[in-house]
Amino acid sequence: QRVHWGFKEIRYGLNDRVVEMLADLYPNGRFVFIVRHPVDVIASKISARASEGIEADARTWVAQNTYFLRFSRENSESSSIIHYEELISYDSQQLSRLFKWLGFALSDRQRDIIETTKPSYKGRPRPAKLTDDEINDINKITREIRGELGYS
């Protein structure tokens, strides 16, 4: 019987080699990198009072996602990059494709459970509203890597 486990960590990919270490420790492991549009990431960080400033946050997003892209390209058989926005969309086939790639079947019951546990802002602050200038600044800094990830 195979054992499966996973964990979520949002701080990897910044001047570390944690993913490479995990790949060495688990040579048959699968790596799923969930990426999110930088404007949404930064708005969320501001709301959570975890922002280091829009420019710094945008540069951090670029560095982290550049790392994920590089690792994924160098390890294409064992890694996958998934857009958060597609993952939480009920009508998206992304979740089914992910489960299949991981070697699992996704039942209707599991899909229903996932649907009822999607992100909710109940009791939490909503993401900050950014000005057009702030969005333009973020988009300017993140343009290249955002495009490589398939974000407009």
Side-chain angles (χ1 to χ4, degrees):
Q1 177 181 343
R2 292 178 65 181
V3 175
H4 299 90
W5 61 273
F7 63 94
K8 171 190 170 191
E9 178 53 63
I10 61 172
R11 292 173 290 269
Y12 292 158
L14 297 172
N15 301 316
D16 64 34
R17 306 230 353 144
V18 173
V19 177
E20 285 91 344
M21 178 194 69
L22 292 171
D24 287 344
L25 290 171
Y26 303 99
N28 296 320
R30 298 275 178 141
F31 296 86
V32 178
F33 300 102
I34 300 174
V35 298
R36 188 175 179 197
H37 194 284
V39 170
D40 297 328
V41 169
I42 293 168
S44 181
K45 288 180 82 169
I46 291 169
S47 294
R49 297 184 179 164
S51 175
E52 296 178 12
I54 287 176
E55 184 175 330
D57 290 345
R59 294 193 189 291
T60 296
W61 185 92
V62 167
Q64 191 170 41
N65 286 281
T66 298
Y67 174 78
F68 294 157
L69 262 175
R70 182 187 55 76
F71 182 89
S72 186
R73 287 176 178 153
E74 291 172 1
N75 301 277
S76 60
E77 296 294 316
S78 63
S79 61
S80 180
I81 293 179
I82 295 176
H83 290 186
Y84 171 80
E85 299 83 358
E86 287 183 31
L87 192 61
I88 65 169
S89 172
Y90 187 76
D91 59 350
S92 170
Q93 293 301 307
Q94 185 65 46
L95 196 56
S96 295
R97 286 192 297 270
L98 174 61
F99 270 56
K100 183 177 180 181
W101 182 74
L102 291 170
F104 302 119
L106 178 62
S107 71
D108 289 338
R109 172 130 170 79
Q110 288 169 313
R111 186 181 297 280
D112 289 342
I113 290 169
I114 291 166
E115 180 64 20
T116 60
T117 59
K118 282 188 181 171
S120 163
Y121 294 105
K122 188 176 185 179
R124 294 187 342 200
R126 287 194 149 300
K129 298 261 190 237
L130 299 173
T131 67
D132 288 342
D133 286 342
E134 290 170 327
I135 292 170
N136 288 337
D137 289 345
I138 294 166
N139 285 335
K140 191 181 307 178
I141 293 168
T142 63
R143 178 175 290 120
E144 183 181 340
I145 196 75
R146 194 169 28 90
E148 288 186 55
L149 287 168
Y151 285 113
S152 57

